[in-house]
Amino acid sequence: MSPAVVDAVVAAGPRLVAAAAALGLAPAALAPAVSDPAYRVLAGSDGAAVLLRRQWTVEGTPEAVVLASAGLSPDAPAVLDTAAGWGCERVRDRPGGRGVVAVPEPPVTAPLAERFRHLAALAATRVETAVALARGAGEDRVKGDGSPSLAADEAAHVAAVGVLGALGVPLLSEERPDHPVDPAAPWVVLDPLDGTGNFRAGLPPWAFSAGLVQDGCPVAGVVVDLSSGRRWSGAVGAGVVRDGVPIAPRAGGTVVVPSAPPGSAVAVPAGARRVRVTGCTAVELCLVADGSAGAWHDLDRSGTHVHDVAGALAVLAAAGGVALTADGEPVRLRPDTDTLIRFVAAGSEAAARELLGFFAPAPESSGG
């Protein structure tokens, strides 16, 4: 966003009332924008404001629509940035306004992480459409690891690769066998539809997840909860947002886990008040990044795949969070979608190590 014009995405409170006054609307008219990811209110300290909605045209083109505006045109940097983050290709002004404005792509000379985030947002929108159209089509299958595979998984993969392939870097996907990748060079790994079991059952969340990895470190990530529209996007050193609002982890009493451990009860770690299981690892890690949950772990399970976590780990790292292996070392990602990773994620190293300590094996007592 351009800080000279817009200095905040309105989330709640007095800014909402001020934005409504600038737009000539009742505050209640802007209330959906606080909780509905398909709406966005942008406001500046100079009284400029705009109300946007994400929608599809009858031809199936995603666009950001200006519903009301005071001092912000559809080609304002803040409006174009919002549309890009939504994965929209254009902005439509109100009738009698400036018509349709195309959302520009970052130039090929832009940093790779910037280009990745732009294309990943577009890919998520293509996947959103593809999985909806594929629901109920094809034959359900079971993969070698016991997880379900649907026609929607394949549709999501094709849609995502069709966009992210333009980056020109190696791309790995849950839906395809691995191919040789130089681990020191940048590479992208995606889970086109994380939480397939949830999607099949109609039980949120299910998500698109893509991560850019360099030298084993997740450096940029985009995760979109396709069931709700929530979007997390971040790059190390360049900031991180959820639905346009900057986020940061915080201490909390909720721990999220990917599943119940086989044959045993879910353990509630010391210091935690509750454990939540969502069935969608990418979203769970983003909940740690934005402070909705205090920590995540899979230490009492077999582990998690790189495609499940790369995008969200980049979001977590950009937010200042920490991920440590079961041995207490920083998580390093390899271009291998078969190997399982066991780790903890939290807002701080101290919190991560506290969780590690809870699951550490008790020292053996010496016989006397």
Side-chain angles (χ1 to χ4, degrees):
M1 287 186 185
S2 170
V5 177
V6 173
D7 54 26
V9 174
V10 173
R15 295 298 298 271
L16 189 71
V17 175
L23 295 170
L25 301 172
L30 300 187
V34 175
S35 57
D36 188 339
Y39 288 83
R40 194 73 49 82
V41 180
L42 311 178
S45 56
D46 58 357
V50 65
L51 172 63
L52 302 171
R53 181 179 66 206
R54 180 177 182 259
Q55 67 178 33
W56 273 257
T57 68
V58 293
E59 297 84 12
T61 301
E63 61 182 16
V65 178
V66 177
L67 299 180
S69 180
L72 283 174
S73 63
D75 58 354
V79 175
L80 293 175
D81 285 353
T82 297
W86 266 337
C88 293
E89 301 173 41
R90 64 194 198 184
V91 179
R92 181 181 297 276
D93 203 357
R94 295 167 296 172
R98 302 180 67 170
V100 174
V101 177
V103 176
E105 292 188 10
V108 294
T109 54
L112 181 60
E114 180 183 343
R115 295 174 55 221
F116 163 80
R117 291 172 72 185
H118 180 90
L119 290 175
L122 287 175
T125 293
R126 302 281 177 85
V127 167
E128 182 179 5
T129 303
V131 299
L133 295 176
R135 180 184 284 278
E139 180 181 357
D140 291 7
R141 296 182 293 108
V142 178
K143 301 177 186 177
D145 63 0
S147 62
S149 178
L150 312 179
D153 287 294
E154 176 65 15
H157 169 86
V158 172
V161 171
V163 177
L164 286 168
L167 273 178
V169 301
L171 192 154
L172 301 182
S173 170
E174 179 187 15
E175 303 306 320
R176 292 292 186 274
D178 291 346
H179 51 84
V181 172
D182 179 359
W187 48 281
V188 170
V189 60
L190 71 139
D191 190 342
L193 183 57
D194 185 34
T196 298
N198 286 0
F199 175 79
R200 181 175 59 179
L203 178 67
W206 54 88
F208 165 90
S209 174
L212 175 65
V213 183
Q214 175 79 55
D215 292 327
C217 299
V219 296
V222 172
V223 175
V224 179
D225 178 355
L226 299 174
S227 65
S228 71
R230 289 179 300 173
R231 288 177 171 247
W232 295 264
S233 177
V236 175
V240 58
V241 295
R242 183 191 66 193
D243 297 331
V245 178
I247 58 173
R250 60 182 178 180
T254 298
V255 173
V256 281
V257 295
S259 62
S264 60
V266 175
V268 180
R273 293 191 299 274
R274 62 188 67 85
V275 172
R276 294 286 186 262
V277 182
T278 77
C280 184
T281 301
V283 168
E284 290 167 353
L285 287 168
C286 286
L287 295 178
V288 178
D290 68 22
S292 299
W296 178 97
H297 80 90
D298 63 356
L299 294 177
D300 54 355
R301 294 154 183 80
S302 58
T304 311
H305 295 97
V306 65
H307 48 265
D308 294 318
V309 301
L313 283 179
V315 170
L316 178 69
V322 174
L324 299 177
T325 68
D327 296 325
E329 298 296 324
V331 171
R332 304 282 293 181
L333 302 181
R334 297 192 296 135
D336 176 356
T337 61
D338 290 326
T339 298
L340 293 170
I341 314 165
R342 294 172 61 245
F343 66 96
V344 301
S348 67
E349 182 173 345
R353 293 198 180 279
E354 181 179 358
L355 190 55
L356 281 175
F358 177 81
F359 288 97
E364 296 183 6
S365 59
S366 57

